[in-house]
Amino acid sequence: MAHYGGTGAWHRAGRIPCNPKGKKMWDQRYASDEYVYGTEPNGFLAEHAALLDGPVLNLAEGEGRNAVFLASRGLDVLGVDGSAVGLAKAHKLAASKGVSIRTETADLTAYSPPPGAFGAVVSIFAHLPGAARKRLHHRVEQALRPGGVILLEGYGKAQLERDTGGPKDIDMLLSRADVEADFLGCDIILSRETERDIVEGRLHTGLASVVQFIARKRPGPPAR
């Protein structure tokens, strides 16, 4: 679980779109036996997992910790990431826990999930440049069934000054207003900017500024 970042720059705990250079970097990062973001689920996701119904689409799934956690709760999960190496480790983790997950290798900047196919979408630290984020979130909203839930946690703009994870590009960091504007066809359950200690492998560790968002899709087309 990491980030899709800007235009090819490498940064600590950063993530770049699935261009060939970026894909190679992330394949190399995931090539070791270490799970660089750990094997335990994101804390915000774990706290609110009872709100989610399947099938679940997990964005920027990386090495599989969140998908495996949801599968262990009996949910059908599709994890999407730009690195096939990371997703291979996700399947290995799933096997070690006695569960199965589905995966798809895709560039999130161009990814278009099927409309109305998912009961929930999970986005944990899936950072994109602002324009690409808006496009993806619009497609994600379309991919939710009526009544489906979007659960998101990402680094807030105040995280720019910290060295505890996240992109070093303000355009890739979130505000509460940004996220709320991306999901106008959903009723907000929770939306906040907050600080919390994050311990997720060696790349996400320490006090962080985050945006947390949960919303439920309304019937009918979104108002845009």
Side-chain angles (χ1 to χ4, degrees):
M1 270 37 76
H3 318 283
Y4 281 84
T7 56
W10 174 266
H11 48 73
R12 182 178 180 271
R15 180 85 157 180
I16 61 182
C18 188
N19 55 48
K21 183 178 179 182
K23 181 181 182 301
K24 181 179 179 180
M25 285 181 178
W26 276 94
D27 285 348
Q28 290 174 343
R29 173 56 60 96
Y30 289 145
S32 72
D33 290 335
E34 177 192 13
Y35 282 77
V36 294
Y37 296 99
T39 58
E40 295 301 313
N42 168 266
F44 179 64
L45 171 62
E47 181 181 0
H48 298 284
L51 292 171
L52 308 181
D53 291 321
V56 182
L57 171 64
N58 271 37
L59 302 173
E61 183 52 39
E63 300 164 299
R65 63 194 178 99
N66 292 322
V68 169
F69 165 71
L70 292 174
S72 73
R73 294 178 59 89
L75 294 170
D76 175 19
V77 186
L78 172 65
V80 178
D81 196 88
S83 171
V85 174
L87 293 178
K89 289 176 74 176
H91 284 285
K92 182 178 178 181
L93 180 62
S96 75
K97 302 291 186 179
V99 299
S100 63
I101 60 173
R102 296 180 291 124
T103 60
E104 181 177 352
T105 305
D107 179 351
L108 289 185
T109 65
Y111 182 59
S112 186
F118 296 97
V121 175
V122 172
S123 176
I124 301 296
F125 302 124
H127 290 276
L128 296 167
R133 184 202 77 241
K134 289 179 183 295
R135 286 194 300 270
L136 177 62
H137 284 178
H138 176 64
R139 292 166 182 164
V140 161
E141 188 177 78
Q142 292 180 322
L144 281 171
R145 297 171 178 168
V149 169
I150 170 70
L151 183 149
L152 175 151
E153 182 173 52
Y155 286 114
K157 294 187 183 297
Q159 183 68 8
L160 188 65
E161 303 304 319
R162 293 184 169 153
D163 191 29
T164 54
K168 297 305 179 185
D169 180 346
I170 195 70
D171 184 49
M172 292 167 55
L173 297 170
L174 302 174
S175 73
R176 176 181 170 182
D178 288 339
V179 179
E180 290 178 1
D182 288 348
F183 293 99
L184 296 178
C186 296
D187 292 321
I188 295 171
I189 297 171
L190 181 153
S191 180
R192 65 189 175 200
E193 297 181 19
T194 188
E195 293 184 343
R196 75 176 186 95
D197 282 309
I198 295 177
V199 181
E200 299 181 345
R202 63 182 172 85
L203 295 183
H204 282 181
T205 299
L207 186 66
S209 172
V210 297
V211 172
Q212 298 176 331
F213 181 82
I214 305 173
R216 189 179 302 278
K217 185 176 180 180
R218 293 190 298 271
R224 295 192 178 276

